[in-house]
Amino acid sequence: MSKHYTVDQIVRLGPVIPVLKFDSVEEGIAVSRALYEGGVKVLEITLRTKVGIDVIREASQIADDIAVGVGTLTRPEECELAARAGATFGVSPGFSTALDQAAKAAGLPLLPGVMTPSDILAAVAAGYEIVKFFPAEQAGGTTMLGAFHGPFPSLRFCPTGGITPASAPSFLSLPNVVCVGGSWLTPRAAVAAKDWAEITRLAREASGLARAHGVS
């Protein structure tokens, strides 16, 4: 069973949080193991397919130090469901008071999504110090995050959406970015071919990316 983490601890476990979507439980377990073997200890398993909760339940048993999160939280009732399945944290594409309250009631640390200053103000008012910037590239990328640093100097971000191995270092070099989310660690071709060694290689490569200000 995975241990309990705060969001602050989770974002320090590695520079890249893979955003995962699976078509079967077997696929989910194999990919999760391959990522873990490559040094990735944080997984965001989304609820974009019907097997998401079942994969979370199985993946959370892989190791004691793995942090398996639930992604694409959009409904309050999903928080309790994911927590019961063993999710260590939750990630949402946006912020709402209902999701915030449901996550706290379920004991599920939440990384809420923001895109605008108004989103940020709502999240900060609810007590959040770390948020997800989504969709990162489409919403202005590193330029927008740089602009946010002025009015929100203490807020930390996990940008997700459209980030690639080539652009990840630029995001990670920003003083207000603690990690990035990405789907490039699990290319469709490698998953379809069951090339778990390739996924482990990509995970090892991602785990070696440097972050700003000595975050470790």
Side-chain angles (χ1 to χ4, degrees):
M1 176 67 69
S2 57
K3 62 183 287 187
H4 292 290
Y5 290 100
T6 63
V7 170
D8 180 69
Q9 292 170 328
I10 287 164
V11 299
R12 291 172 180 271
L13 288 175
V16 181
I17 299 177
V19 181
L20 308 167
K21 179 181 73 173
F22 299 118
D23 293 324
S24 71
V25 175
E26 292 75 19
E27 177 184 275
I29 295 171
V31 169
S32 297
R33 287 187 183 280
L35 290 167
Y36 183 80
E37 288 175 9
V40 173
K41 295 184 178 181
V42 182
L43 310 177
E44 179 190 335
I45 297 174
T46 68
L47 298 182
R48 298 177 187 178
T49 62
K50 295 180 179 179
V51 301
I53 288 294
D54 291 330
V55 176
I56 289 170
R57 185 176 294 109
E58 296 297 326
S60 65
Q61 304 297 321
I62 289 175
D64 289 339
D65 61 345
I66 196 169
V68 178
V70 55
T72 323
L73 285 173
T74 58
R75 296 181 297 168
E77 59 267 26
E78 293 169 341
C79 295
E80 179 64 26
L81 185 66
R84 288 183 179 181
T88 303
F89 67 101
V91 184
S92 63
F95 175 82
S96 75
T97 300
L99 268 178
D100 167 54
Q101 293 176 344
K104 287 173 178 173
L108 190 70
L110 183 66
L111 187 63
V114 301
M115 190 178 74
T116 68
S118 295
D119 295 338
I120 291 174
L121 287 174
V124 169
Y128 290 92
E129 298 177 345
I130 305 172
V131 294
K132 169 184 174 177
F133 178 49
F134 178 82
E137 286 289 5
Q138 296 87 338
T142 56
T143 302
M144 182 67 85
L145 284 167
F148 283 155
H149 190 49
F152 308 107
S154 63
L155 193 65
R156 292 174 288 166
F157 294 87
C158 172
T160 304
I163 297 175
T164 67
S167 64
S170 295
F171 281 95
L172 292 168
S173 69
L174 296 174
N176 55 349
V177 169
V178 286
C179 64
V180 300
S183 57
W184 78 84
L185 280 71
T186 55
R188 291 182 181 179
V191 174
K194 298 184 179 181
D195 190 351
W196 313 135
E198 172 64 6
I199 291 174
T200 294
R201 185 191 70 79
L202 290 170
R204 191 171 292 118
E205 194 175 75
S207 297
L209 287 172
R211 291 179 290 186
H213 302 300
V215 176
S216 60

